[in-house]
Amino acid sequence: MLALRATRLFDGESATLVQRPLVLIDSGRIVAVDAGAGEPPAGAEVVELGDVTLIPGLVDTHVHLGFDASADPVARMRADDDGALLLRMRLAAQQHLVAGVTTVRDLGDRGYLAVTLRDWFREGHEVGPEVLASGPPLTVTGGHCHFMGGQADDEAELRRGVRTRCTRGVDVIKVMVTGGNMTAGIDPLTPQYTAAEIAAVVEEAHRFGRTVTAHVHGVAGIEAAVDAGVDGLEHCGFWVAEGVRADQELIDRIAGRGITVCPTLGLLPGGPPPPPPVASRIPAMSASVGRLHKAGVRLVGGTDAGIAPAKPHGVAPYVVDHLLMTGLTSVEALRVVTSAGADACGLGGRKGRLVPGADADVVAVAGNPLVDPQALRQPAAVFRAGVRVRTPVLS
Ligand SMILES: [Zn+2]
């Protein structure tokens, strides 16, 4: 048995921190969280972590392990064969883990390599983050991220696409409802699929017990995805030709249907600016994130890690800074990157919370992250299923 002692603990939900916690861990799971620094059981290995706050390992609900966060990650992915790509994905996963991101959901790979990597870690060959994977996103021929290999052009192909993914063991279905910014010639404002086609994806996925999350930028695509009954919206910037238009009626409909929104926040400060269509809309998009939260929409902390130099793997701590700018409190922001993300991934009982029965994915950060969220950027220690993560040699 392992016993972690620290000064404070954030359990993933409560605004009141546990003082002088003692966290008992057995076989990779938390068995007790005691306040007041009681005595550990005889024979336990005690780790004294000092003036730190224990928090649940962060959950990044939107990453691309196959993108290398270079200036042109698409070219790099296309140049790699599957062997090289898988090695880079393994490195990216370790970059998340050492940054305290113990669960990542890959929302777009090639060749189901994220599923392969998920199983590699799960089988215990190597300590890595918990990986969830969508496989190649569903997209139209020549559509957004078509180079990942997930083309499906009509309802029958979409249904077959969902079934193929479920057979391959994916955790979630990702559908590119609008164009995006990483695929030249594809318009982020225009839907690639009709609401009826997206509804077929949802029906088929739910039949197989999978959730559906939709990549959407333009308002028309958001409307179609919401009408189709998707479970999650990625980006969801409410783009229109002249900028951003987030009607309260649509925000309320997203809230009323219980749809999760991942606004893909989180950027390294001082990096190169995002592409002009994104940069010019950032202030209005930030305001809409605050309005989504006020309307009761569940936000999650996916980052789109890997897509640009300002979004390296392990960037999730910066989501908190970004959420504070949109009007969330620090405890609300910390919930977004821990328990809310775990719930959206269907892992609420095991991840994102430091409670008995949960996996012992624990991060120690200096000081108090509710007062100083920047403390999240340099974890003092990371435990994955009770195993202390040694910093691998990463470049
Ligand atoms: Zn993405």
Side-chain angles (χ1 to χ4, degrees), residues 120-132:
W120 169 259
F121 291 138
R122 223 170 255 183
E123 287 161 11
H125 304 293
E126 179 181 3
V127 175
E130 184 86 34
V131 176
L132 300 178

Side-chain angles (χ1 to χ4, degrees), residues 109-117 134-136 161 164-165 168-170:
D109 69 7
R110 188 183 75 207
Y112 299 90
L113 292 177
V115 176
T116 303
L117 190 63
S134 71
T164 301
R165 280 158 182 72
R168 297 293 297 257
V170 303

Side-chain angles (χ1 to χ4, degrees), residues 87-111:
L87 284 171
R88 280 201 302 96
M89 292 170 72
R90 177 181 167 208
L91 179 67
Q94 296 300 1
Q95 288 168 332
H96 282 282
L97 187 61
V98 298
V101 186
T102 53
T103 300
V104 296
R105 185 168 71 167
D106 188 290
L107 289 184
D109 69 7
R110 188 183 75 207

